[in-house]
Amino acid sequence: MLTSYKFIKEPTNRWYINLPDWQGMHADLEMVEGADIMLDYVGQGAREVELQLAEEPFENATPLQLVEDYRDHVGGGIYLLGRYNGEELNQKMWLCGVTEFVFGKLPEVIYFKKVETNKQ
């Protein structure tokens, strides 16, 4: 299932996923440990990035591969963004337990694509 999520870089220069149904603390939604770097790269200076996410490949999607499973101790896992837009990045990032909230589990691969907005 293909779903879009918005990521917002707040005035503190920290990225957060926008999850209106989240019942936990706002701090739990912060993108850290490499996920923030990935959003800076994908966002190309924007303060908001919308990504389509899915567990199955879809047209023009980029895979994030689970390389270390942390469910049994800190939650979430380490994912690898090998290439993006034809550029070799090898960017590792920790995606916390909120990933399990979004997908209902910790997927082996998460596919994503930036939603292009036509702001004038």
Side-chain angles (χ1 to χ4, degrees):
M1 184 168 133
L2 190 60
T3 309
S4 291
Y5 293 93
K6 211 173 260 184
F7 297 82
I8 300 164
K9 192 171 196 177
E10 294 188 351
T12 59
N13 284 326
R14 294 178 174 175
W15 284 101
Y16 293 85
I17 186 171
N18 181 26
L19 289 178
D21 294 335
W22 180 253
Q23 298 296 312
M25 295 174 36
H26 179 65
D28 296 339
L29 302 177
E30 185 177 359
M31 306 302 290
V32 298
E33 299 293 328
D36 52 342
I37 295 167
M38 184 269 291
L39 287 167
D40 280 335
Y41 186 81
V42 171
Q44 300 175 319
R47 303 219 36 108
E48 269 189 29
V49 175
E50 186 173 349
L51 299 179
Q52 291 177 313
L53 303 175
E55 292 180 64
E56 300 295 328
F58 61 96
E59 187 176 352
N60 297 320
T62 300
L64 295 173
Q65 180 70 47
L66 180 66
V67 293
E68 294 180 55
D69 186 335
Y70 288 176
R71 277 180 288 203
D72 293 338
H73 41 332
V74 296
I78 301 293
Y79 282 83
L80 176 68
L81 173 59
R83 298 181 65 82
Y84 183 74
N85 280 345
E87 186 176 339
E88 192 75 27
L89 295 178
N90 291 318
Q91 171 69 45
K92 286 186 177 180
M93 65 195 79
W94 174 54
L95 298 182
C96 70
V98 173
T99 305
E100 295 171 66
F101 175 83
V102 168
F103 288 99
K105 63 180 179 179
L106 194 64
E108 289 294 319
V109 181
I110 298 172
Y111 295 89
F112 79 94
K113 180 173 113 177
K114 181 180 175 187
V115 175
E116 298 297 335
T117 57
N118 294 327
K119 292 186 178 179
Q120 298 186 11

